Amino acid sequence: MPSQSIPTVIASSLNMGCHMNSPQSLDASKLTYAYTTTPQPVPDAETLAKNHKTLCTDHMIVASWDVETGWSAPQLKPYGPLSLLPSASCLHYAYECFEGLKAYRGDDGKLRMFRADQNVRRLQMSAERISLPEFDADELEKLIYELLAVDGAKWLPKSRAGDFLYVRPTMIGTDPQLGVTRPTEALLYIIVGYTPRVDTPLGGKRLLTSPDDMVRSWVGGFGYAKVGANYGPSVKVSQEASRLGYHQVLWLYGPNGDCTEAGGSNFFVIWKRKDGKKELITAPLDDQLILNGVTRRSCLELVKDRLGDEFEVTERKFTIDEIQEAAAEGRLLESFAAGTAWFITPISLIHHRGSDINIPTGPDGTPAEITGRIKGWLGDMMYGRVAHKWARVVSEKEF
Ligand SMILES: *Cc1c(COP(=O)(O)O)cnc(C)c1O
């Protein structure tokens, strides 16, 4: 088509935003409510722990997108199966991205979310990476709060202070299309898992370094995006680690063995540098190998802010050999993994190519001093023991 200006008539109808051809944006104020008529019983903690499938709460929120019309009005409806054609693009070309965040039942009876604004922005970034549509992140955040406002009180009653629900916003390509092209239809949905409490394993986490012939992500790839394609293929190595008695894989990258992530969590080391300065170190974001964790960022910001006199806070490449050397010279102080799913877990051992690197922890693998302080600061915000701008209360509905 020759380049020319848009005829005035069409231009004005575009501006009015109500023309058929003007795609609608995601709008939480259009949410409709269809409550379940078959509410599920909430199992007790013991029954839940025995269940190997994720139990979801009574409701979900869905919004569909079409390249012509944009976003549909979001619907809150009973949790249940989706209807997809077998040719749906997500089933063939991994058009899937997701987020993982938690709603925490506070000691004061209130339900809170932690920095959800960061998660919805990260989902935008992940969607962009796999050619899924744009959406207004603030609107998605409102929808997340709304779903918890409905399901929170029943699934996480005030008597269960200290527990959480796991929130999983997801976007998939749904167009029946076997050609590898940009999806023209998509579905955004939010589900809430009622999952058992996770505890730091007794003795601390033990990591096994990834083998030479496997990487989680690579320069130029998509390891920085929370896209489903990053996770399924990592399980083969983690299964092997688990068979050998380790909790998680420490993913190394490149000929020098750069430390990137510990399973699905960001990886931190606290050591004394050769110049005697104490340092908190984690892998950098600039080569796009790792996930930009909300917990990671929070740890970095808090330590800079509250322990900045005592600790240098560094994001740079560092290798497994540097950790080994620090351990041998008695400079290795602590290590932990940080992420929403497992929160802050102390690492007590890394096994690398036949040798063990032992890392100090508190008694029985509990957090040592700095790990414990970071965990305490974040936990206090999440469970409302201290007020902080990162934690926001869900206004729960009374039924
Ligand atoms: C989600 C995730 C993390 C942790 O991110 P948080 O925002 O802190 O939950 C770290 N690494 C990977 C690979 C992840 O998928």
Side-chain angles (χ1 to χ4, degrees):
M1 204 171 88
S3 76
Q4 58 185 46
S5 61
I6 306 170
T8 352
V9 136
I10 300 179
S12 68
S13 72
L14 285 176
N15 290 341
M16 280 160 59
C18 59
H19 189 269
M20 278 286 290
N21 288 333
S22 155
Q24 299 293 302
S25 48
L26 184 67
D27 183 351
S29 72
K30 291 186 190 158
L31 181 66
T32 61
Y33 296 79
Y35 294 114
T36 184
T37 52
T38 53
Q40 299 301 305
V42 181
D44 59 32
E46 209 178 303
T47 316
L48 184 68
K50 283 192 214 126
N51 191 350
H52 292 290
K53 293 174 188 159
T54 300
L55 184 66
C56 287
T57 61
D58 289 317
H59 300 99
M60 61 182 180
I61 287 180
V62 303
S64 57
W65 176 86
D66 177 285
V67 70
E68 302 285 335
T69 53
W71 288 101
S72 70
Q75 296 173 284
L76 183 143
K77 58 185 206 178
Y79 176 83
L82 302 174
S83 170
L84 287 178
L85 288 168
S87 54
S89 59
C90 64
L91 302 176
H92 300 271
Y93 308 123
Y95 290 116
E96 194 267 0
C97 57
F98 65 97
E99 268 306 318
L101 56 166
K102 285 176 178 172
Y104 306 88
R105 179 62 74 191
D107 300 354
D108 59 357
K110 294 192 173 132
L111 191 63
R112 286 180 182 77
M113 302 219 66
F114 183 76
R115 306 189 84 175
D117 57 313
Q118 306 283 320
N119 293 89
V120 290
R121 277 170 185 75
R122 192 169 64 194
L123 187 67
Q124 270 182 326
M125 178 277 290
S126 300
E128 194 277 333
R129 180 64 184 82
I130 52 173
S131 308
L132 284 173
E134 290 173 16
F135 58 90
D136 184 328
D138 295 333
E139 297 303 303
L140 177 60
E141 188 182 1
K142 287 181 207 162
L143 292 172
I144 293 171
Y145 273 81
E146 193 53 29
L147 182 55
L148 288 162
V150 171
D151 277 352
K154 172 178 163 184
W155 289 85
L156 197 60
K158 296 194 164 117
S159 58
R160 298 225 344 254
D163 283 359
F164 53 78
L165 293 171
Y166 184 79
V167 187
R168 172 55 62 92
T170 308
M171 205 197 309
I172 55 175
T174 51
D175 50 336
Q177 168 60 278
L178 293 179
V180 184
T181 59
R182 179 192 173 209
T184 54
E185 291 169 28
L187 192 72
L188 175 64
Y189 59 86
I190 311 163
I191 56 177
V192 179
Y194 172 66
T195 53
R197 246 184 218 233
V198 289
D199 273 319
T200 300
L202 197 68
K205 248 183 199 174
R206 294 185 303 276
L207 307 182
L208 177 67
T209 54
S210 55
D212 276 329
D213 60 353
M214 290 240 191
V215 291
R216 189 194 85 89
S217 65
W218 51 93
V219 170
F222 42 88
Y224 65 94
K226 234 173 163 70
V227 296
N230 276 322
Y231 300 86
S234 74
V235 169
K236 203 174 160 187
V237 178
S238 40
Q239 285 287 99
E240 177 63 7
S242 142
R243 198 183 61 80
L244 297 170
Y246 301 94
H247 298 104
Q248 222 117 58
V249 173
L250 175 59
W251 292 99
L252 303 180
Y253 185 75
N256 302 325
D258 296 329
C259 298
T260 64
E261 300 206 58
S265 301
N266 291 118
F267 175 66
F268 286 81
V269 169
I270 302 171
W271 58 19
K272 228 185 248 168
R273 297 193 315 213
K274 291 193 175 187
D275 65 6
K277 179 88 190 171
K278 286 188 201 164
E279 184 173 57
L280 173 73
I281 188 165
T282 196
L285 300 175
D286 50 22
D287 54 7
Q288 299 197 318
L289 283 174
I290 67 160
L291 215 282
N292 182 358
V294 178
T295 322
R296 171 189 183 278
R297 186 179 324 168
S298 304
C299 293
L300 294 173
E301 289 171 6
L302 284 176
V303 173
K304 256 182 225 167
D305 191 45
R306 301 184 181 183
L307 297 173
D309 294 341
E310 216 186 319
F311 287 87
E312 196 88 36
V313 176
T314 306
E315 296 167 69
R316 72 152 168 91
K317 282 184 195 296
F318 64 106
T319 64
I320 189 71
D321 291 350
E322 285 180 86
I323 299 180
Q324 242 161 356
E325 189 185 13
E329 294 172 2
R331 294 185 287 106
L332 188 55
L333 303 176
E334 299 177 30
S335 173
F336 62 92
T340 301
W342 300 97
F343 195 30
I344 306 283
T345 33
I347 294 165
S348 55
L349 179 138
I350 302 170
H351 185 88
H352 178 62
R353 310 287 183 266
S355 61
D356 282 344
I357 308 172
N358 288 296
I359 306 165
T361 64
D364 296 329
T366 52
E369 190 197 342
I370 302 306
T371 306
R373 286 170 81 174
I374 298 170
K375 187 174 176 182
W377 289 332
L378 290 170
D380 284 350
M381 295 175 196
M382 291 161 175
Y383 292 101
R385 291 185 284 264
V386 296
H388 193 278
K389 61 175 195 265
W390 289 345
R392 266 184 53 206
V393 172
V394 178
S395 323
E396 293 176 84
K397 286 196 199 307
E398 310 265 349
F399 284 100

